[in-house]
Amino acid sequence: QAAADPMSSSDAPEDGPKETSSISQNISDADAFKILLEMKMKKRQKKPTLPSTVTELDTEDGSKVYVVGTSHFSDSSKKDVVKTIQEVQPDVVVVELCQYRVSMLKMDEKTLLKEAKEINLEKLQQAIKQNGVMSGLMQMLLLKVSAHITEQLGMAPGGEFREAFKEASKVPFCKFHLGDRPIPVTFKRAIAALSFWQKVKLAWGLCFLSDPISKDDVEKCKQKDLLEQMMAEMIGEFPDLHRTIVSERDIYLTYMLKQAAKQIELPRASETEPRKYIPAVVVGVVGMGHVPGIEKNWNSDLNIQEIMSVPPPSASSKIFKFVIKATVFGLMGYGCYRIGQRTVQFILSMPAAQSYLQKLTEIRSQH
């Protein structure tokens, strides 16, 4: 699973048919590919004008990677992503999403805004079913943090990823890759890194998050993603948690960007023609908080097998899980008891029931 290629979108460009309407219907696939590639290369700027939030990285074989550091709740980040893709005309666009969050790419802002604000029992049950009790609860608490920002700003998260998805579809032969580690793995590893009391303390902090946030705050945090900065403040005293949520994902994102930056094979007129390769151009769209880690890991030999493994639950996790289950069942039992007690009291207070009880008392006294 760790070595599998990330999911890619269709390579069919939106603007291809318009630009090639005059091309003969009898042209070969290889010639058509070459013509479209030439058009793409003409659009690609030799010295692109890039936003200040873009970091340029090179691979050993000459491929270029442009990492756009974004804030997940910023309009200017969306513009940075669009401008970068238009300027460099990439072969691959990689975003900080996994298959469990890919649905946000095709949902409109209004629906996403509604979804982010509505954290209900059904979502909690689904998260627990998908990730287990501990990881499911952690996921819902982190969603609460995101929902808090969403409610404060009136802006749905992930706008830069949706813009990247739209813009990539306009570039000929541009693939779209999901570059983040699967969220269940991240949460399970994060839970395993905490002691019982650390879990309680973190959950308490997340539950009572209520500080107001303005759009100015978001733009001030352009050099460090707002959501990740808030998380960093809360998990600062838990270095193991920071390692699993941030540092390990830095490694995973770096690995996926390097995989995407492998050289591209040019089309061949025949099987006998030798294979030719050209350096790739990649655009990565990630939270600003991950950019320093990607730069740090870029020239290292990376092995992601270790950070993809899920450790077995610790004794504290088992205790915490038991306590949660006992609390839930205890509350349910107490609720049933109270409802039953009130129901009996209500029935006994009815005139018909009192009359019936009085008759029973008279019959018993006669005997």
Side-chain angles (χ1 to χ4, degrees), residues 48-59 63-72 77 79-85 88 90 92-96 160-161 164 179 222-223 228 249-261 280-299:
T49 305
L50 300 172
S52 60
T53 52
V54 176
T55 300
E56 295 184 41
L57 299 169
D58 298 301
T59 66
S63 294
K64 284 271 188 184
V65 178
Y66 300 91
V67 183
V68 188
T70 68
S71 173
H72 297 318
S77 284
K79 295 174 184 176
D80 290 350
V81 169
V82 171
K83 181 173 178 60
T84 303
I85 293 175
V88 307
V92 186
V93 171
V94 181
V95 295
E96 185 199 329
E160 74 273 32
F161 301 140
K222 189 68 184 293
Q223 296 307 311
E228 289 176 7
R249 288 173 58 228
D250 289 345
I251 294 171
Y252 191 92
L253 287 165
T254 306
Y255 177 86
M256 297 307 270
L257 285 168
K258 292 178 84 170
Q259 288 292 105
V281 172
V282 177
V283 169
V285 183
V286 304
M288 182 62 73
H290 289 292
V291 176
I294 291 171
E295 287 187 276
K296 177 184 174 182
N297 292 300
W298 189 251
N299 294 317

Side-chain angles (χ1 to χ4, degrees), residues 142-169:
L142 292 177
L143 279 175
K144 183 181 181 295
V145 177
S146 180
H148 170 64
I149 302 173
T150 298
E151 189 174 2
Q152 292 281 324
L153 300 181
M155 182 188 299
E160 74 273 32
F161 301 140
R162 288 187 290 281
E163 289 299 323
F165 183 68
K166 292 175 191 173
E167 209 60 36
S169 68

Side-chain angles (χ1 to χ4, degrees), residues 32-304:
F33 186 99
K34 287 178 181 178
I35 292 170
L36 281 173
L37 190 62
E38 286 175 7
M39 290 179 176
K40 177 177 177 176
M41 293 304 179
K42 285 180 182 178
K43 284 186 178 181
R44 183 178 286 174
Q45 301 295 320
K46 289 183 179 179
K47 293 184 179 179
T49 305
L50 300 172
S52 60
T53 52
V54 176
T55 300
E56 295 184 41
L57 299 169
D58 298 301
T59 66
E60 293 178 356
D61 54 22
S63 294
K64 284 271 188 184
V65 178
Y66 300 91
V67 183
V68 188
T70 68
S71 173
H72 297 318
F73 294 86
S74 170
D75 283 327
S76 61
S77 284
K78 299 179 190 177
K79 295 174 184 176
D80 290 350
V81 169
V82 171
K83 181 173 178 60
T84 303
I85 293 175
Q86 289 176 347
E87 286 283 317
V88 307
Q89 293 289 295
D91 304 300
V92 186
V93 171
V94 181
V95 295
E96 185 199 329
L97 286 176
C98 68
Q99 64 265 38
Y100 293 92
R101 292 180 290 157
V102 73
S103 59
M104 73 162 55
L105 293 175
K106 295 186 178 180
M107 294 170 72
D108 59 79
E109 289 280 332
K110 187 177 180 182
T111 305
L112 276 167
L113 200 59
K114 184 180 177 183
E115 285 284 320
K117 289 180 179 179
E118 292 180 355
I119 299 179
N120 51 37
L121 183 60
E122 184 181 348
K123 286 185 178 180
L124 176 60
Q125 289 174 334
Q126 185 179 358
I128 290 175
K129 184 178 179 181
Q130 186 180 74
N131 305 315
V133 175
M134 289 300 306
S135 298
L137 287 171
M138 178 65 74
Q139 182 177 345
M140 292 309 295
L141 287 172
L142 292 177
L143 279 175
K144 183 181 181 295
V145 177
S146 180
H148 170 64
I149 302 173
T150 298
E151 189 174 2
Q152 292 281 324
L153 300 181
M155 182 188 299
E160 74 273 32
F161 301 140
R162 288 187 290 281
E163 289 299 323
F165 183 68
K166 292 175 191 173
E167 209 60 36
S169 68
K170 301 175 185 177
V171 179
F173 310 112
C174 182
K175 295 181 179 180
F176 190 86
H177 287 187
L178 303 176
D180 202 2
R181 182 172 65 179
I183 199 166
V185 176
T186 297
F187 283 129
K188 286 175 183 177
R189 287 184 62 85
I191 290 297
L194 297 177
S195 68
F196 172 77
W197 292 113
Q198 285 177 327
K199 292 168 189 172
V200 173
K201 193 172 183 179
L202 179 64
W204 182 267
L206 290 170
C207 283
F208 292 94
L209 178 73
S210 58
D211 294 337
I213 302 162
S214 68
K215 288 190 177 181
D216 289 338
D217 292 330
V218 177
E219 294 309 318
K220 286 176 185 177
C221 293
K222 189 68 184 293
Q223 296 307 311
K224 192 171 185 182
D225 180 66
L226 179 64
L227 181 59
E228 289 176 7
Q229 177 168 316
M230 292 179 70
M231 284 304 303
E233 290 173 358
M234 283 185 288
I235 67 178
E237 58 188 292
F238 309 133
D240 289 334
L241 191 61
H242 184 275
R243 173 177 53 80
T244 54
I245 291 181
V246 180
S247 301
E248 288 184 357
R249 288 173 58 228
D250 289 345
I251 294 171
Y252 191 92
L253 287 165
T254 306
Y255 177 86
M256 297 307 270
L257 285 168
K258 292 178 84 170
Q259 288 292 105
K262 290 182 177 179
Q263 288 191 328
I264 299 169
E265 182 181 354
L266 293 175
R268 295 181 294 165
S270 66
E271 291 295 326
T272 57
E273 186 179 338
R275 296 176 184 272
K276 292 181 182 179
Y277 297 87
I278 59 170
V281 172
V282 177
V283 169
V285 183
V286 304
M288 182 62 73
H290 289 292
V291 176
I294 291 171
E295 287 187 276
K296 177 184 174 182
N297 292 300
W298 189 251
N299 294 317
S300 304
D301 292 328
L302 304 175
N303 183 354
I304 63 170

